[in-house]
Amino acid sequence: MRTDCGCGCGGDATRTSAFVRPRFFAGQLLTEDDLSLLVEYTTAKARLHNRSLYGPGVICGLAVTCDPCGGGTVAVHPGHALDCAGNDIVVPCTERVDVTALVRERRISALGVDCGEDCDDDGGRRYGLYVRYRELPVEPVAPYATEEPCPSPGCVPSRIQEGYRFVVKCDDFEDHRHNPGTRLLMTLGDLARADQARTRDRRLGLYTDALTVASLGTGRAFRFDAADAQRYATAFAWLRDNAGGEGPPAPPTAREMTEHVRALAAAVARYDTYDAAGQAQLARDYPDLATVREARSTLGTACGRLNGADLEAAWPDPLRAGIARAVVTETAARVVPERGDPDAPLEVRMLAQGTPLGHALRVEFRADLGLIREWLLCRLDQATDLTDCALRQDIAALDVPPPLPSPPPDSTEKATIAEVQRIAEAAAALGTAVRRFLTDAACATLNPPCGDCTDTDVLLAHLELDGCDVVRVCSATREQVLPGGSAYGEWLPKLYRLRELAGRVCCRPVPRHQKPTLPSEGPVARPYADGLLGDWPRTGDLEEMLSLLLTPAPGETPPKALHEQVYTTPSEVTDSMQELARLRTRVADLTAAVEGLRAQLGSAQTQVSHLEERVSSRAPDPSGESAQEPDQTPDQPPGQAAEPAKPPAKRTRSSRTRKPGETP
């Protein structure tokens, strides 16, 4: 037993189908509803295929050229076009279009009055010449009498003639082509806010593993190898030659000096994680470490100069400027003092990896976590084509540490292991969530949306008028129906690469963050974080896919950034459009009624002519012979009644006669 629960139970549809076709059977009484439904079904299906498979534009022909006689007339040659509703527009022969008359008609319809202005004296006006599909009811016939309580008066059109008309409009043609980046922007929202969240996620990603390692095994040393010794020697030599001097360094020098301070501080911090015996062994293995005390003094001098430098000018990006301040503050507090800072193992271990973590930077990290989480939840609330169904629930369940108040300048407050672990876990989980969201958004662009048809006019050419004369015609930029549809014609060159990337990105599990593990014994091997203050390149298949979608190719329509506001048509406009549609319907009905009256008038005139002929045949003969009795035929004997005359057959059609057996 089937239960209609209204929720798609059992796989049944919960909405009425868009298409219903008639079903015929033997003995069926066909009515106009059955036959009309068949016509409507086939017509609607054909229009659906036209607008979904091909899109609006010119299929062939419809070239617009100058009229041989010049003036304000152009020639539109035969051709075929589709409008965005799927209607076929066929121009069978060359049409001479009076552009000046169309411009005048447009002004009269817009102003509601004829101002008598035929042309623009200043010249240089530009218009778009469009062709518009229209239907005309033709061939009215008189219907047979039926038992309907309110039969149609007069004749009714029996045919719908598909035609067209030309119009001119302002030269502000709207391109119907769809760039897939538009759909991606709709999911990402404001691109500046999305880039802000992604850049903060990128900075947290550079710190995530370092935070995890620093919070594990606080008493473990970091491995000091030949690469660290080389970094130590290079940075120390540069700072020894350039750290001195008076006044703050210029922005370019400040950037270079900060990088060398970070490199030298990381090497010294690794040295400080060893005990006395380990440091002695390092000094024997790497003789350059005999200058550690001098290196600390040089770092102190460099940090003193950088404290007076304008780090915001050196790093306009506030995210990198925050790291640069942490380099200076943490180096001066944790490395410059003799034997480092044994009471701050977390901060020293972060410096040893080249990722300094100060109080101010922890405040920024907490604020970044909240910003990223809020951005993701906001976008997911507005997402209409989400396919990662568990993403929102996973983000809402994340344990994000609350924000902290702004710290005092040059604060050296120490972090706790619990806080560092909490930041690392939240950063790893949010980083995975961001990649899941971006993957979902990028893969959704490969599913083309249905177009929104609001203007069915098809552009044929751009016209330039000088007074009453057309001086130039341009048809090169009009929409042209292409294989695969005009809406996606420009997307075809990049489709193959997108499909290849989608095969590696979409429909596969998103890579999860792998938490680093420490060896059971011995020093911890951790690489130095190169490029922390440089460019943060976005690499990988997903980033290439996003870049391919958002970066226009030469000649490609750029993706359109969508506003957050939802624009709706004012009720006054929709009411006026509905009233206009009702008026058009009434005009069509009145036109059909007038055609019916004309047919009846023609029938009445025919009957009057017959009566006049009969009356003239019964008039007295001028020769004196008496007229025959009206009820007696010439061959009938006197006194015998004549058979009553048959009334004339009624005409039921004005333009054609219904054949016997034809279905009304």
Side-chain angles (χ1 to χ4, degrees):
M1 180 177 180
R2 182 180 181 276
T3 303
D4 186 7
C5 59
C7 61
C9 297
D12 292 335
T14 59
R15 297 290 186 270
T16 304
S17 175
F19 292 97
V20 178
R21 64 177 183 267
R23 178 180 178 274
F24 304 111
F25 53 90
Q28 179 182 5
L29 175 62
L30 293 180
T31 66
E32 67 274 14
D33 292 336
D34 300 305
L35 301 179
S36 297
L37 179 59
L38 179 60
V39 174
E40 292 170 0
Y41 173 80
T42 55
T43 303
K45 271 298 183 69
R47 290 171 178 170
L48 173 65
H49 293 167
N50 285 344
R51 64 175 178 264
S52 298
L53 296 179
Y54 309 112
V58 176
I59 298 177
C60 62
L62 293 179
V64 181
T65 59
C66 301
D67 190 271
C69 299
T73 305
V74 296
V76 179
H77 296 271
H80 181 197
L82 296 175
D83 65 12
C84 62
N87 296 307
D88 289 281
I89 304 176
V90 179
V91 178
C93 56
T94 302
E95 297 272 6
R96 298 182 69 238
V97 180
D98 190 344
V99 178
T100 306
L102 293 179
V103 172
R104 181 181 179 86
E105 176 185 340
R106 176 180 176 273
R107 290 179 178 175
I108 294 175
S109 62
L111 301 177
V113 63
D114 186 1
C115 299
E117 299 176 358
D118 293 333
C119 307
D120 290 320
D121 296 333
D122 54 354
R125 290 300 306 274
R126 296 179 62 85
Y127 293 95
L129 176 63
Y130 295 79
V131 62
R132 177 181 300 171
Y133 173 84
R134 70 170 179 175
E135 296 179 347
L136 296 175
V138 295
E139 296 193 26
V141 297
Y144 286 116
T146 62
E147 297 180 357
E148 295 182 1
C150 299
S152 300
C155 295
V156 178
S158 62
R159 300 287 186 270
I160 297 295
Q161 177 179 301
E162 297 185 351
Y164 56 88
R165 73 183 309 265
F166 298 101
V167 295
V168 296
K169 296 189 290 188
C170 290
D171 197 14
D172 53 356
F173 169 68
E174 178 182 359
D175 200 333
H176 290 90
R177 292 179 298 175
H178 174 76
N179 190 302
T182 299
R183 185 168 184 174
L184 180 60
L185 289 177
M186 182 174 62
T187 304
L188 298 181
D190 182 71
L191 200 56
R193 294 183 60 188
D195 190 68
Q196 181 187 40
R198 294 183 62 200
T199 305
R200 279 164 167 74
D201 172 70
R202 177 61 175 157
R203 183 173 72 164
L204 285 170
L206 296 174
Y207 268 79
T208 301
D209 288 347
L211 290 169
T212 303
V213 172
S215 63
L216 298 175
T218 312
R220 305 280 294 277
F222 278 86
R223 177 182 297 173
F224 192 100
D225 55 20
D228 298 307
Q230 179 63 37
R231 192 180 307 109
Y232 173 91
T234 303
F236 182 34
W238 191 94
L239 289 174
R240 187 169 47 194
D241 296 339
N242 299 278
E246 297 182 359
T253 306
R255 287 195 297 270
E256 190 173 4
M257 185 179 295
T258 304
E259 284 286 11
H260 286 292
V261 166
R262 186 171 72 93
L264 182 58
V268 175
R270 286 177 183 258
Y271 173 84
D272 288 342
T273 60
Y274 286 79
D275 56 14
Q279 292 178 357
Q281 182 62 42
L282 287 177
R284 289 191 294 270
D285 295 338
Y286 305 104
D288 289 339
L289 290 179
T291 59
V292 168
R293 181 175 297 179
E294 184 182 355
R296 296 182 194 275
S297 176
T298 302
L299 284 173
T301 302
C303 291
R305 289 194 65 192
L306 289 173
N307 276 328
D310 188 358
L311 296 182
E312 283 73 15
W315 282 278
D317 180 10
L319 301 184
R320 292 173 176 80
I323 297 177
R325 283 192 294 269
V327 169
V328 177
T329 302
E330 291 301 300
T331 299
R334 317 300 179 192
V335 175
V336 171
E338 184 69 24
R339 297 183 181 277
D341 188 358
D343 296 331
L346 282 174
E347 284 75 8
V348 173
R349 292 166 68 82
M350 292 297 296
L351 267 175
Q353 301 175 79
T355 51
L357 180 68
H359 186 195
L361 203 55
R362 296 202 320 271
V363 172
E364 291 184 19
F365 283 172
R366 287 190 164 201
D368 291 346
L369 291 172
L371 183 146
I372 297 170
R373 181 176 182 270
E374 185 62 29
W375 175 74
L376 284 172
L377 291 175
C378 179
R379 298 317 310 164
L380 291 174
D381 285 342
Q382 303 181 44
T384 57
D385 50 5
L386 184 67
T387 58
D388 193 340
C389 306
L391 180 57
R392 194 187 192 287
Q393 181 179 357
D394 293 344
I395 296 175
L398 287 180
D399 181 20
V400 176
L404 294 174
S406 299
D410 299 331
S411 172
T412 57
E413 179 183 326
K414 300 178 180 64
T416 64
I417 294 178
E419 178 188 8
V420 171
Q421 289 180 342
R422 193 176 180 187
I423 293 176
E425 292 173 357
L430 275 178
T432 300
V434 169
R435 289 193 297 275
R436 289 170 61 185
F437 173 73
L438 293 176
T439 300
D440 195 73
C443 295
T445 62
L446 301 182
N447 301 320
C450 291
D452 182 16
C453 180
T454 57
D455 186 358
T456 60
D457 297 340
V458 178
L459 176 68
L460 297 181
H462 301 277
L463 307 177
E464 184 177 346
L465 275 69
D466 185 4
C468 290
D469 298 332
V470 177
V471 296
R472 185 170 176 79
V473 178
C474 178
S475 304
T477 58
R478 67 184 184 182
E479 286 181 333
Q480 198 80 23
V481 175
L482 302 174
S486 62
Y488 286 85
E490 67 177 44
W491 190 29
L492 295 178
K494 62 174 64 174
L495 178 61
Y496 301 104
R497 181 58 179 164
L498 283 173
R499 301 294 293 184
E500 179 186 356
L501 293 172
R504 299 198 295 263
V505 174
C506 307
C507 302
R508 292 189 178 184
V510 178
R512 303 285 179 171
H513 177 262
Q514 298 294 329
K515 187 176 181 180
T517 58
L518 302 183
S520 58
E521 58 183 14
V524 178
R526 280 292 298 169
Y528 175 76
D530 286 320
L532 186 66
L533 291 172
D535 295 332
W536 300 337
R538 296 171 178 172
T539 58
D541 293 337
L542 175 60
E543 293 297 338
E544 184 181 352
M545 192 173 181
L546 295 172
S547 176
L548 192 60
L549 287 167
L550 293 177
T551 304
E556 179 183 343
T557 303
K560 303 173 184 177
L562 303 180
H563 300 287
E564 295 294 332
Q565 295 85 356
V566 178
Y567 296 95
T568 58
T569 306
S571 58
E572 295 83 2
V573 177
T574 57
D575 293 342
S576 300
M577 295 176 64
Q578 293 175 359
E579 182 64 24
L580 180 60
R582 288 193 291 268
L583 290 175
R584 288 176 175 173
T585 303
R586 294 184 60 186
V587 169
D589 293 340
L590 291 175
T591 302
V594 169
E595 293 294 335
L597 292 175
R598 288 178 178 175
Q600 292 181 358
L601 179 60
S603 177
Q605 290 176 347
T606 303
Q607 294 179 4
V608 168
S609 300
H610 289 321
L611 291 175
E612 289 177 352
E613 293 175 0
R614 293 180 61 185
V615 169
S616 62
S617 64
R618 297 173 182 174
D621 192 346
S623 61
E625 297 180 358
S626 60
Q628 297 176 347
E629 295 181 6
D631 295 336
Q632 182 178 353
T633 61
D635 298 334
Q636 182 179 2
Q640 183 177 353
E643 295 180 1
K646 297 181 180 179
K650 297 182 179 180
R651 294 177 60 87
T652 58
R653 293 179 181 264
S654 60
S655 58
R656 66 188 184 93
T657 304
R658 182 177 289 113
K659 298 179 181 179
E662 184 177 358
T663 303

